[in-house]
Amino acid sequence: MVITLIIGSFVAILNQTLMISALPTLMHEFDVPSSTVQWLTTGFMLTNGIMIPITAFLIETFTTRQLFLYAMGIFAE
C-alpha cells in the first residue's frame, strides 16, 4: 500500500512538472501569450482538485473491480 502511495505521489509531481516545462512549447506552437497558456495550468490544477473528492466517493461506492472496468470502458471508446 505504501509503495502504491509513493508511486502515485511521484506521478502527480511528475505530471505537474511536465505541464510547467511544456508551457514555452505550447506558447510557440499555438502563438499565444503566456497569460493565455497559464490558464491551461490553472484549469489542470482545478480539474485535479475537483477529481480528488469525486474519486474518493467513487471508491466508496463501487468495488475496485467495477471501478477499473468502468474506467477502462470509458477510455476505450
Side-chain angles (χ1 to χ4, degrees):
M1 184 67 157
V2 173
I3 292 173
T4 304
L5 290 173
I6 291 172
I7 292 171
S9 297
F10 173 75
V11 170
I13 292 169
L14 180 66
N15 199 10
Q16 292 170 1
T17 303
L18 291 174
M19 173 65 88
I20 297 298
S21 64
L23 290 181
T25 304
L26 292 171
M27 288 170 38
H28 175 71
E29 290 294 324
F30 293 113
D31 194 28
V32 293
S34 62
S35 60
T36 303
V37 177
Q38 286 175 349
W39 278 104
L40 178 65
T41 304
T42 303
F44 178 74
M45 298 301 270
L46 282 172
T47 303
N48 279 337
I50 291 170
M51 288 307 294
I52 290 170
I54 291 174
T55 303
F57 170 75
L58 291 174
I59 288 172
E60 289 182 1
T61 305
F62 300 106
T63 65
T64 305
R65 181 181 178 138
Q66 288 174 329
L67 200 55
F68 178 76
L69 291 175
Y70 290 145
M72 289 299 114
I74 289 170
F75 288 115
E77 291 182 359

